[in-house]
Amino acid sequence: MQFKPPKNTEERSWTKHSLEKMRFYGLSPQRVLRVLKSPERCEKAIAPNCIACMQSVGQKRKTEIWVMYQNKIRNSKSKIRKNINHKKIITAWRYPGASPIRGKIPIPKDILEEIKLELRN
């Protein structure tokens, strides 16, 4: 089966590296987007200003699918939306087994306090 590369849109773009890794690990664009939509775990990535998200796969031989992306705010080309959250997918890979948990994404204290106040109400 041939690999059909996804097209870049206003919401997301794909690097050449990510397309090569998806082809190497046998990951479809839909699978990568599913990891981004509902990750089991997200961490601060090794690359600056990037986030890595993971979903575990398999029953007998457990593996993890990781996707590293960068969030950017862009001006929309359409007149309806002014700013959109653009995700630049940098790479995707399959990790054999279970990876160790690293640092979580840091959330500023003032934002955490606002969330806690909203949850109490």
Side-chain angles (χ1 to χ4, degrees), residues 104-117:
K104 296 195 177 200
I105 300 172
I107 300 173
K109 290 182 182 180
D110 57 332
I111 303 291
L112 274 175
E113 290 174 11
E114 285 182 29
I115 293 171
K116 287 178 183 176
L117 285 173

Side-chain angles (χ1 to χ4, degrees), residues 9 12 29 38-39 45 48-49 56 66 72 74 79 86 88 91 95 98 100-101 104:
T9 63
R12 72 187 68 84
S38 57
N49 302 322
S56 59
W66 283 87
K72 292 184 176 187
R74 282 192 172 177
K79 295 179 182 177
H86 181 82
K88 182 177 183 180
T91 189
Y95 185 86
I101 297 174
K104 296 195 177 200

Side-chain angles (χ1 to χ4, degrees), residues 12-116:
R12 72 187 68 84
S13 61
W14 307 79
T15 61
K16 185 178 177 184
H17 179 77
S18 67
L19 298 175
E20 290 172 358
K21 289 298 181 179
M22 286 166 54
R23 185 178 296 126
F24 179 80
Y25 288 109
L27 300 172
S28 68
Q30 293 84 10
R31 187 66 176 111
V32 171
L33 293 176
R34 192 178 341 154
V35 172
L36 289 178
K37 187 175 181 179
S38 57
E40 287 180 23
R41 187 170 85 210
C42 285
E43 297 178 351
K44 185 178 176 187
I46 294 173
N49 302 322
C50 291
I51 299 169
C53 293
M54 178 276 296
Q55 257 187 6
S56 59
V57 180
Q59 296 295 323
K60 285 186 176 181
R61 294 192 312 180
K62 292 197 178 222
T63 62
E64 295 175 346
I65 296 175
W66 283 87
V67 178
M68 184 167 63
Y69 68 95
Q70 189 175 38
N71 260 339
K72 292 184 176 187
I73 303 294
R74 282 192 172 177
N75 291 333
S76 177
K77 293 178 183 175
S78 68
K79 295 179 182 177
I80 299 169
R81 292 197 265 169
K82 302 238 175 182
N83 294 328
I84 55 171
N85 190 10
H86 181 82
K87 290 184 180 181
K88 182 177 183 180
I89 300 168
I90 297 170
T91 189
W93 68 96
R94 193 179 293 264
Y95 185 86
S99 62
I101 297 174
R102 292 182 50 221
K104 296 195 177 200
I105 300 172
I107 300 173
K109 290 182 182 180
D110 57 332
I111 303 291
L112 274 175
E113 290 174 11
E114 285 182 29
I115 293 171
K116 287 178 183 176

